[in-house]
Amino acid sequence: MDINKNLIENAFHSKILLFGEYGIIQDAMGLSIPFESFNGKLSFREHSVKPDEEKIKASNENLRKYATHLENLQEKAGLNVQFDLKRMKDDLDSGMFFESTIPQGFGVGSSGALCAAIYDRYAKDKLQPQELKKKKLKELKIIFAQMESYFHGTSSGMDPLICYINMPVLIESKNDIDTVSLPKDQKEGRGAIFLLDSGTPGKTQPLVKYFMERCKEKDFLEKCKADFIPYNDNCIRGFLKGETKALFYNLYFLSKFLIENLTPMIPHIFHRLWKEGLDTGAYYLKLCGSGGGGFILGFTEDLENAKKYLKGHQIKVIQRF
């Protein structure tokens, strides 16, 4: 087979769930955005920038297992889309692998980008990103949930959706999602949204299970509905409207709720920093994805001041305002 004919052009960016972690399980709002600092694409060794034979082999083997999984789902009519799995297997026989700069287990959509890439290359009658209307977004989200459940046990389908359409998406409820415009990035603005690196990956499945168990507790569920969800939803509204005061007022209480009620989701190395942010108001921290490791999200009205408190921690800026 001529590998050159299989040159794959499309790369898919990572994503960040700015707001909605765990809350969307209880029908809170969510806001997810593309994050262009990382990306992934299906590739062949001949086209790889820095081929790593061990990683190529491991990725190829994992993709073969995933192809078998998709085949089983397709045979059982467990997919809302048909894939050209013969073509996928032919590509795998030619050495195809997933070449990615997206760190796994860091809450930025490594499996989402992979699902987006496979859907883009092998789905029959695929939905094109530029053609998606509200109803079609919901259809595609269901397809991606079916695809990504292989990696996490369950999936909302949101991560692959964001990676595929490369647009911010507002989740107003479980059954109401749409694309949305974000406030313009003020390159020289004092305020910022940023990432902090815990240095270790997190595992989504056990943390989601923990949260679901907590939701069986009447007191915790009442707190979620009375505090967690309103603070989360008000953060989204404030951010999208560019209302900084409203955003940071609600961020304080959201951050406080997380450290007081979902401590196991927060890596130990951030506990002191988390509380220091609440005490000083220099910045507020929140989960990025499921937590337990990976990245932590930070918000500050004065980035230079926040850096004084966060000295020794690498800050990756997402957006300035």
Side-chain angles (χ1 to χ4, degrees), residues 10-35:
N10 291 345
F12 295 89
H13 297 303
S14 56
K15 63 82 210 179
I16 290 176
L17 184 64
L18 278 186
F19 297 101
E21 72 292 330
Y22 294 106
I24 55 177
I25 295 173
Q26 292 297 335
D27 217 19
M29 292 170 67
L31 179 63
S32 194
I33 65 172
F35 186 47

Side-chain angles (χ1 to χ4, degrees), residues 24-303:
I24 55 177
I25 295 173
Q26 292 297 335
D27 217 19
M29 292 170 67
L31 179 63
S32 194
I33 65 172
F35 186 47
E36 296 184 0
S37 291
F38 305 115
N39 63 68
K41 63 182 289 188
L42 295 169
S43 186
F44 296 89
R45 185 188 180 284
E46 286 77 2
H47 305 305
S48 177
V49 179
K50 293 180 181 178
D52 181 319
E53 296 303 331
E54 284 189 17
K55 287 185 178 179
I56 289 173
K57 183 180 178 184
S59 176
N60 182 270
E61 289 175 356
N62 287 332
L63 283 175
R64 287 180 186 277
K65 292 175 185 176
Y66 187 51
T68 301
H69 171 74
L70 292 177
E71 187 173 40
N72 290 336
L73 279 182
Q74 202 157 277
E75 287 175 356
K76 295 173 184 176
L79 279 171
N80 289 20
V81 64
Q82 289 291 306
F83 289 102
D84 187 346
L85 294 175
K86 181 183 183 305
R87 184 186 180 203
M88 185 174 177
K89 288 179 180 179
D90 286 344
D91 284 345
L92 288 168
D93 288 342
S94 297
M96 185 184 70
F97 69 105
F98 189 61
E99 186 169 32
S100 174
T101 61
I102 307 172
Q104 293 185 22
F106 276 68
V108 287
S110 55
S111 60
L114 172 59
C115 290
I118 288 174
Y119 176 86
D120 180 63
R121 185 160 173 84
Y122 301 110
K124 299 177 180 178
D125 301 318
K126 69 180 179 183
L127 298 168
Q128 299 291 347
Q130 64 272 19
E131 298 172 353
L132 291 174
K133 303 297 181 185
K134 202 169 185 178
K135 183 180 177 183
K136 294 296 183 182
L137 279 175
K138 288 170 64 177
E139 289 179 19
L140 191 52
K141 179 175 173 287
I142 291 169
I143 289 169
F144 280 136
Q146 294 169 334
M147 293 177 67
E148 199 186 28
S149 292
Y150 172 82
F151 301 99
H152 301 307
T154 58
S155 168
S156 68
M158 279 304 305
D159 286 7
L161 180 66
I162 303 299
C163 296
Y164 183 64
I165 69 175
N166 197 36
M167 292 177 67
V169 168
L170 175 65
I171 308 151
E172 297 212 48
S173 68
K174 288 176 182 175
N175 298 310
D176 191 2
I177 62 170
D178 205 354
T179 55
V180 67
S181 297
L182 300 180
K184 188 177 180 181
D185 189 356
Q186 305 293 331
K187 302 295 183 185
E188 305 301 320
R190 287 179 64 195
I193 305 172
F194 58 89
L195 291 176
L196 295 177
D197 189 346
S198 71
T200 56
K203 293 184 177 179
T204 299
Q205 245 178 309
L207 293 175
V208 170
K209 184 179 179 182
Y210 169 81
F211 180 79
M212 296 303 291
E213 288 298 316
R214 290 294 312 275
C215 285
K216 293 177 183 177
E217 303 169 18
K218 184 181 177 182
D219 288 348
F220 178 78
L221 187 57
E222 286 178 355
K223 280 184 187 178
C224 278
K225 292 179 178 178
D227 299 324
F228 182 35
I229 291 174
Y231 294 140
N232 172 83
D233 292 2
N234 287 334
C235 280
I236 293 174
R237 294 186 186 105
F239 175 69
L240 291 178
K241 292 177 182 177
E243 296 174 352
T244 306
K245 285 187 178 181
L247 168 63
F248 278 86
Y249 174 83
N250 286 283
L251 266 170
Y252 169 82
F253 290 106
L254 179 60
S255 181
K256 190 170 184 287
F257 181 93
L258 292 168
I259 192 70
E260 290 178 351
N261 296 280
L262 293 175
T263 311
M265 278 75 168
I266 301 169
H268 287 288
I269 63 167
F270 287 129
H271 285 191
R272 180 187 63 79
L273 286 176
W274 201 289
K275 291 172 183 174
E276 189 172 52
L278 289 169
D279 291 340
T280 63
Y283 58 86
Y284 299 131
L285 301 181
K286 66 178 294 295
L287 297 174
C288 179
S290 60
F295 291 117
I296 290 291
L297 268 167
F299 295 75
T300 179
E301 293 182 88
D302 188 337
L303 183 59

